[in-house]
């Protein structure tokens, strides 16, 4: 009799455990939208890329449980600290500062390759139309150049001394953010010769305080994340100030506390990562604040000291399996965090 009671009790414990697991997985499988209180949301959190196990993050028994989410599995080959992001057709480039390398995730073949000759602290990457890769190596204070086959070509440096943290390409020029001298250094992308220096230390228009990120629009305008001044400055190719987003560090929506990564989509909507708010804010081409997205902490869509953002139209199709029923994704938005459980969060901009 005692044996029967013990068996029944054990069975109940197992059953209750399975119910708890199912509830946890079902809760985890709930889609996260932004805005969350409207019938037609614009952005959906899709998944997180936390390491080299992204392509093999499966389980033979996982699908037995309703609501099972393979993303909940522990990453077996995690990233260190992810900073720079870039993409080409079928490929995502990830700068891992801790591992001192650049990783290439090929979504078409579900394979990962790596490159980097004597890189010390790769924090940013810019890829030219011909496939040439420009790696900002903060540890060596240089720009390391690789060809489209990931073969090392040369290095570029500023003889006056700098603290390079980000780079962007425009025509024949490489625009490098120099956080030490609070300026943007313009270099010939082929020779490495410095052709111009934009900005100086300060808070006024045309001045920078610890700039950290840069991106270029299709119209040839250059956007610089002016971090300690709490704004994003817009300049033309000659370095002339054109416009700005935000005025000074502020906690109000549409303002910034510590703006870091920036990106533009094809409609010239500006995406600004705020390292302090731990979210992303979106503005239209008229500078109107549209909405924020992202969560705080180690939760779904959680951002922890986010640093970099990438808008990617080329590889959205590879994330269609994560999209909620009744929706389609126009492009994906990837946000890299310095700490926390989720290293690279992938969001989808939904078609209307």
């Amino acid at each position: 009799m005692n044996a029967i009671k013990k068996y029944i009790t054990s069975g109940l414990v197992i059953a209750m455990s399975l119910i708890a697991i199912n509830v946890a997985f079902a809760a985890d499988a709930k889609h996260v939208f932004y805005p969350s209180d409207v019938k037609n949301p614009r952005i959906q959190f899709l998944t997180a890329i936390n390491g080299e196990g992204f392509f093999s993050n499966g389980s033979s028994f996982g699908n037995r449980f309703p609501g099972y989410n393979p993303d909940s599995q522990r990453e077996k080959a995690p990233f260190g600290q992810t900073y720079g992001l870039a993409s080409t057709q079928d490929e995502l480039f990830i700068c891992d500062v801790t591992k001192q390398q650049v990783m290439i995730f090929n979504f078409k073949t579900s394979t990962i390759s790596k490159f980097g000759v004597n890189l010390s602290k790769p924090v940013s990457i810019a890829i030219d139309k011909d496939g040439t890769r420009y790696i900002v190596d903060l540890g060596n204070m240089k720009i390391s150049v690789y060809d489209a086959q990931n073969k090392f070509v040369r290095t570029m440096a500023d003889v006056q001394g700098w603290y390079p943290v980000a780079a962007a390409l425009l025509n024949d020029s490489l625009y490098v953010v120099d956080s030490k001298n609070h300026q943007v250094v313009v270099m010939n992308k082929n020779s490495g010769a410095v052709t111009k220096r934009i900005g100086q230390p300060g808070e006024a228009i045309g001045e920078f305080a610890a700039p950290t990120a840069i991106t270029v629009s299709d119209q040839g305008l250059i956007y610089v994340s002016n971090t300690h001044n709490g704004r994003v400055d817009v300049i033309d190719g000659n370095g002339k100030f054109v416009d700005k987003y935000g005025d000074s560090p502020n906690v109000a929506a549409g303002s910034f506390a510590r703006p870091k990564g920036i990106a533009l989509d094809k409609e010239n909507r500006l995406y600004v990562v705020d390292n302090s708010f731990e979210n992303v804010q979106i503005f239209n081409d008229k500078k109107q604040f549209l909405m924020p997205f992202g969560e705080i902490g180690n939760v779904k869509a959680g951002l922890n000291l986010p640093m970099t953002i990438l808008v990617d139209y080329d590889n959205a199709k590879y994330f269609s399996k994560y999209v909620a029923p009744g929706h389609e994704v126009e492009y994906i938005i990837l946000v890299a965090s310095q700490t926390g459980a989720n290293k690279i969060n992938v969001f989808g901009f939904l078609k209307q």
Side-chain angles (χ1 to χ4, degrees):
M1 188 70 176
N2 289 334
I4 294 175
K5 286 183 177 180
K6 184 176 180 181
Y7 177 80
I8 293 173
T9 302
S10 176
L12 286 173
V13 170
I14 294 173
M16 291 300 291
S17 298
L18 290 176
I19 291 172
I21 290 173
N22 283 343
V23 170
F25 283 151
D28 193 42
K30 185 178 180 181
H31 299 295
V32 179
F33 293 111
Y34 303 93
S36 60
D37 58 349
V38 296
K39 293 183 178 179
N40 296 306
R42 300 310 306 269
I43 290 176
Q44 180 196 335
F45 168 73
L46 300 178
T47 187
I49 304 175
N50 294 319
E52 297 179 48
F54 177 73
F55 292 125
S56 58
N57 217 3
S59 172
S60 59
F61 59 86
N63 291 327
R64 297 178 187 174
F65 300 107
Y68 173 76
N69 177 18
D71 293 338
S72 65
Q73 296 183 90
R74 182 179 296 276
E75 173 59 56
K76 295 180 180 179
F79 297 131
Q81 274 196 323
T82 52
Y83 274 69
L85 300 173
S87 65
T88 56
Q89 183 67 54
D90 302 321
E91 295 181 321
L92 172 65
F93 293 73
I94 303 168
C95 294
D96 191 318
V97 169
T98 305
K99 296 184 178 181
Q100 300 177 306
Q101 63 188 7
V102 178
M103 309 177 72
I104 306 175
F105 279 52
N106 189 305
F107 296 113
K108 186 175 183 179
T109 61
S110 296
T111 57
I112 299 172
S113 57
K114 309 168 186 178
F115 72 94
V117 178
N118 298 322
L119 292 176
S120 175
K121 193 175 182 181
V123 295
S124 181
I125 176 172
I127 302 178
D128 211 346
K129 293 178 181 179
D130 65 355
T132 302
R133 297 89 152 91
Y134 295 82
I135 313 298
V136 180
D137 187 351
L138 179 56
N140 289 322
M141 303 292 183
K142 295 178 180 179
I143 306 296
S144 291
V145 185
Y146 296 78
D147 64 18
Q149 286 71 47
N150 304 320
K151 181 180 179 181
F152 176 75
V153 178
R154 63 183 181 281
T155 59
M156 299 157 56
D158 186 355
V159 295
Q160 292 190 17
W162 62 354
Y163 201 74
V165 294
L169 289 153
L170 177 61
N171 301 324
D172 291 329
S173 295
L174 182 72
Y175 290 74
V176 183
V177 176
D178 176 6
S179 187
K180 174 184 176 182
N181 298 301
H182 311 281
Q183 63 183 2
V184 175
V185 179
V186 187
M187 313 177 81
N188 181 286
K189 70 179 183 182
N190 299 310
S191 67
V194 175
T195 59
K196 190 185 295 293
R197 298 177 190 276
I198 302 171
Q200 61 184 14
E203 299 178 1
I205 297 302
E207 297 178 342
F208 298 111
T212 55
I214 189 169
T215 192
V216 177
S217 74
D218 291 337
Q219 291 73 37
L221 294 177
I222 301 156
Y223 294 67
V224 181
S225 188
N226 199 341
T227 301
H228 286 183
N229 283 333
R231 64 179 191 255
V232 175
D233 290 341
V234 187
I235 56 181
D236 63 20
N238 296 316
K240 181 182 178 182
F241 174 83
V242 176
D243 210 340
K244 64 177 179 177
Y245 292 72
D247 294 310
S248 60
N250 197 311
V251 296
S255 299
F256 314 115
R258 194 161 60 222
K260 293 281 188 172
I262 51 178
L264 292 163
D265 65 20
K266 291 181 179 179
E267 302 299 323
N268 276 326
R269 286 181 288 251
L270 177 68
Y271 296 74
V272 183
V273 170
D274 197 300
N275 193 250
S276 183
F277 293 160
E278 295 188 310
N279 69 2
V280 179
Q281 298 188 65
I282 311 176
F283 301 81
N284 65 16
D285 58 353
K286 297 178 178 61
K287 296 177 34 179
Q288 295 171 322
F289 171 65
L290 299 179
M291 60 175 284
F293 66 90
E295 306 296 322
I296 297 175
N298 291 322
V299 297
K300 254 191 165 183
L303 304 177
N304 293 272
L305 296 180
M307 176 64 69
T308 311
I309 186 167
L310 170 69
V311 170
D312 180 1
Y313 285 83
D314 292 330
N315 300 305
K317 63 183 179 181
Y318 295 110
F319 293 84
S320 60
K321 64 180 179 180
Y322 301 104
V323 181
H327 294 280
E328 289 184 80
V329 166
E330 183 179 348
Y331 54 87
I332 55 174
I333 307 157
L334 300 97
V335 183
S337 291
Q338 293 175 274
T339 62
N342 298 333
K343 296 302 182 183
I344 300 175
N345 280 315
V346 184
F347 300 86
F349 192 92
L350 304 175
K351 294 180 180 181
Q352 297 300 300

